Amino acid sequence: AVAPDFTTMGALAGKPMKVNLKAMLAKGPVVLYFYPKAFTSGCTMEAHAFAEATADFAKAGATVLGMSNDDLPTLQKFSTAECRDKFAVAAATKDVIKAYDVSLKVAGVSSGLTKRTSYVIAKNGKIVMVHSDMDYKDHVKLTLEAVQKLKKG
């Protein structure tokens, strides 16, 4: 499947920025990971893990982007405090949440939050890997393995 394109607002190192998937893909593969809520324990530990692996993703030619439905001021703080200024986080709009099928439902009703789901998107825009698990622990390892395989061809 082709990854749905989007443009939204985000933050890197506390600075607001426009985030566009197509522009990011022009530089190489993108690891797009959705997390439920900034500053919650699992999301904080996941952000730390992605921050620690940023150099490994860069070596494989990939860019990491975290997404949640948090507001821009929260994303600005999270990008510095928990992402450690290593990668951008962006606002997942209702359209993006629907397009990527990451709505977290409670008793069958959308909670407004996103499921913890990671996508690896090849430079050509094709989704090559999806991992959906509310436990954050394997997201970095599995997405890194996928981008390293892409680099090897």
Side-chain angles (χ1 to χ4, degrees):
V2 174
D5 191 27
F6 58 82
T7 300
T8 188
M9 287 304 293
L12 175 61
K15 295 177 181 65
M17 62 185 279
K18 191 180 272 190
V19 177
N20 173 259
L21 180 62
K22 197 174 279 183
M24 291 177 76
L25 288 170
K27 299 172 190 160
V30 172
V31 173
L32 173 62
Y33 85 93
F34 290 89
Y35 59 94
K37 189 98 182 108
F39 298 109
T40 57
S41 63
C43 298
T44 294
M45 290 186 280
E46 184 177 30
H48 291 178
F50 270 110
E52 287 169 22
T54 301
D56 295 325
F57 283 105
K59 258 187 240 162
T63 303
V64 173
L65 175 66
M67 286 190 101
S68 69
N69 76 341
D70 290 299
D71 63 20
L72 188 57
T74 301
L75 292 170
Q76 287 176 268
K77 289 179 197 144
F78 194 69
S79 73
T80 296
E82 309 306 349
C83 305
R84 301 180 174 152
D85 300 339
K86 301 275 189 185
F87 62 91
V89 286
T93 63
K94 283 181 179 158
D95 288 344
V96 170
I97 291 170
K98 185 177 180 190
Y100 282 87
D101 191 26
V102 291
S103 178
L104 181 62
K105 294 188 166 105
V106 178
V109 178
S110 176
S111 65
L113 303 177
T114 62
K115 290 188 268 187
R116 189 178 314 281
T117 303
S118 298
Y119 291 86
V120 174
I121 305 165
K123 189 175 168 126
N124 65 3
K126 295 246 195 276
I127 296 170
V128 296
M129 182 246 171
V130 181
H131 178 65
S132 192
D133 188 337
M134 288 307 279
D135 186 339
Y136 75 93
K137 289 184 183 118
D138 287 333
H139 286 264
V140 171
K141 178 177 83 95
L142 294 173
T143 56
L144 184 57
E145 286 171 0
V147 294
Q148 288 168 335
K149 276 184 196 160
L150 273 178
K151 186 172 182 179
K152 287 179 188 165

